[in-house]
Amino acid sequence: MQDICTPELMQVLSDGSGALGFKLPVGWRWGGWSDVWPDDWSGGDVKPGIFNDNCLVFHNWLMGVAIALTPRTETLMYTCEILDELDWFKDTQTMLPTLKTLALRGAHRCDYYLFDIHPFLTAAPNLQTLYALDCRGNAIASTMLLLLDDEDGDSWTKNLTVSKVRKLVLDELPKAAFEKLMERCVELEDLVYYIHSWYDCPDIERAFSQTEKRLKKLCFGYLPPSIPTGYESILGDVDYAAITTVTSLQEFTQLEEVVIDQALIYRYFDSSTGTGRLERLLPPSIQRVYFTYVYKSMYEDLRQLARVAPGSFPKLRSVKIGLVSPIPPERVAEIEHMKTVESAFAIVGVHVSWEENLMGPFLYTAVPGGTPGLTVTCVPDAPLPFP
């Protein structure tokens, strides 16, 4: 690194960053790094010989300066490597007025907290799309996380400037924090929310009870781990038995697309024969629906949906069904029979397609281009990784 960041270049960076409020980190030594911390120094001069035992400090400072010096950036992907690295922006004059899309994710064992990203959001007043993956801090401080989970959600969201965000993609917040966040996203039109445990499954209808229902797209699902006992074994969890299933989205009068797990509509022991549940679930504005991780037949309810589609759902054009893979032998016959419903939809002009939903999906595929070169299982409704 010292071959690139010469004293002359560091002086230029120091001058430029200082004008924006960035303080040059102490500790850089042109001969490398030492295990000993020196006394702090002042005056703003670049002094070779100063050293620091943490190279990440300089690396994160350099990233912050690079972002601040490119104010016309429209799309930014940022990986958080240490818990407090976004503090670089708190006392600076960084403004990113053209930033429309921000994608944040944690590094290995270095997730971050949602409330820590407020310097980024404050610097980007025109942000429209936010990907906030790994935003619960799970890999960092479990004790602090337990304390925060007992809060009413305000501590997670009170400083977040998200009033102009129209698309939000995130995973695994405490239920109270998720509800508070939805209250603040007053212009939200596109929500993608993944959970990793049934304990944190929110009540979607309640989460939007205090705000205008502007959603045009909702993707809501559980990301199942890859386990040898199969998908249905995770539905025996006591936390799953306590979730609030999604019974109706009809109050979302602008909703055009829904992507949702079957397990969030029907409980494990619920009948899926002739319940009319799908008819009651969808609003008249619906155009596309994708049922993910379908593990048991819902043939009769699908046929009923096809029968009422022309009158109740005149805009419906596409039904996609993602089947759990592998299908257990005892479920093969009923799943094959469910596929015959395709003709009922064809009669009313609705296209039906089938997809394989694998267990152990890779979360970062939710970010377009977020996994270049990787051969991984995509999360439902995510773009395929770039080759």
Side-chain angles (χ1 to χ4, degrees):
M1 187 178 289
Q2 63 260 33
D3 292 336
I4 300 174
C5 294
T6 62
E8 292 77 17
L9 179 55
M10 282 296 294
Q11 186 65 65
V12 172
L13 291 173
S14 177
D15 294 342
S17 63
L20 294 171
F22 283 83
K23 181 182 177 182
L24 185 69
V26 300
W28 179 248
R29 181 169 67 90
W30 307 111
W33 299 92
S34 169
D35 293 331
V36 182
W37 283 84
D39 294 332
D40 197 358
W41 50 274
S42 58
D45 296 329
V46 178
K47 295 184 178 181
I50 303 297
F51 43 80
N52 187 323
D53 66 345
N54 190 356
C55 183
L56 282 177
V57 173
F58 177 77
H59 176 68
N60 293 326
W61 172 84
L62 194 59
M63 285 198 299
V65 172
I67 293 170
L69 293 175
T70 52
R72 296 183 182 179
T73 299
E74 296 182 2
T75 301
L76 175 64
M77 182 184 293
Y78 190 95
T79 300
C80 298
E81 296 180 296
I82 58 176
L83 183 59
D84 59 352
E85 67 182 76
L86 294 180
D87 288 351
W88 286 116
F89 290 88
K90 286 183 179 179
D91 301 317
T92 70
Q93 301 174 33
T94 301
M95 290 301 295
L96 303 169
T98 63
L99 187 65
K100 294 294 192 296
T101 300
L102 173 63
L104 298 169
R105 48 167 283 195
H108 179 61
R109 297 190 60 78
C110 289
D111 300 345
Y112 60 97
Y113 292 109
L114 180 68
F115 50 77
D116 279 327
I117 72 173
H118 71 88
F120 248 142
L121 301 184
T122 302
N126 298 309
L127 189 70
Q128 295 180 358
T129 300
L130 173 63
Y131 296 83
L133 307 180
D134 305 317
C135 66
R136 192 176 177 175
N138 287 346
I140 305 174
S142 57
T143 302
M144 183 177 180
L145 179 62
L146 289 173
L147 293 174
L148 289 168
D149 280 356
D150 290 333
E151 297 287 340
D152 61 3
D154 281 335
S155 59
W156 288 84
T157 62
K158 62 182 179 181
N159 294 322
L160 299 183
T161 307
V162 291
S163 60
K164 292 185 179 180
V165 171
R166 296 183 179 178
K167 177 175 181 177
L168 178 63
V169 182
L170 73 163
D171 67 309
E172 195 79 339
L173 282 176
K175 286 179 280 191
F178 177 79
E179 291 181 7
K180 289 293 184 180
L181 183 60
M182 293 305 99
E183 290 179 14
R184 299 183 70 87
C185 295
V186 295
E187 294 190 11
L188 191 63
E189 297 179 353
D190 186 340
L191 172 64
V192 179
Y193 187 54
Y194 299 109
I195 57 175
H196 303 275
S197 66
W198 297 117
Y199 176 79
D200 290 303
C201 182
D203 182 339
I204 286 291
E205 297 168 60
R206 173 179 167 177
F208 284 90
S209 62
Q210 303 299 319
T211 186
E212 185 179 355
K213 299 171 180 62
R214 300 167 58 98
L215 280 187
K216 294 182 178 180
K217 176 181 176 181
L218 171 65
C219 175
F220 178 35
Y222 170 84
L223 298 184
S226 181
I227 53 176
T229 51
Y231 182 84
E232 292 186 48
S233 66
I234 65 178
L235 302 181
D237 192 312
V238 293
D239 290 330
Y240 174 70
I243 71 168
T244 301
T245 56
V246 182
T247 58
S248 176
L249 298 172
Q250 294 187 356
E251 291 187 4
F252 295 85
T253 57
Q254 300 180 53
L255 196 60
E256 299 175 354
E257 183 174 359
V258 172
V259 182
I260 189 169
D261 288 357
Q262 183 187 43
L264 294 170
I265 307 171
Y266 303 89
R267 294 185 186 279
Y268 183 55
F269 293 108
D270 284 350
S271 171
S272 55
T273 302
T275 68
R277 196 164 299 188
L278 302 184
E279 180 183 355
R280 294 193 299 272
L281 173 72
L282 301 173
S285 56
I286 196 69
Q287 298 180 20
R288 297 173 297 278
V289 61
Y290 178 10
F291 300 111
T292 51
Y293 289 103
V294 173
Y295 64 94
K296 63 180 179 180
S297 175
M298 45 186 185
Y299 172 79
E300 291 295 339
D301 280 359
L302 285 170
R303 279 191 62 87
Q304 174 65 12
L305 182 62
R307 281 194 292 266
V308 302
S312 300
F313 310 105
K315 298 181 180 180
L316 182 62
R317 293 294 177 266
S318 172
V319 173
K320 182 189 291 188
I321 300 174
L323 301 174
V324 167
S325 181
I327 300 172
E330 65 273 17
R331 294 283 192 188
V332 170
E334 65 181 270
I335 294 299
E336 288 301 314
H337 176 61
M338 180 173 63
K339 291 181 179 180
T340 63
V341 79
E342 194 169 328
S343 59
F345 281 101
I347 293 173
V348 296
V350 177
H351 175 70
V352 176
S353 58
W354 307 85
E355 192 165 273
E356 182 182 36
N357 287 165
L358 298 171
M359 298 180 69
F362 192 58
L363 177 64
Y364 300 148
T365 55
V367 182
T371 57
L374 293 180
T375 302
V376 293
T377 300
C378 286
V379 295
D381 201 44
L384 293 173
F386 287 175

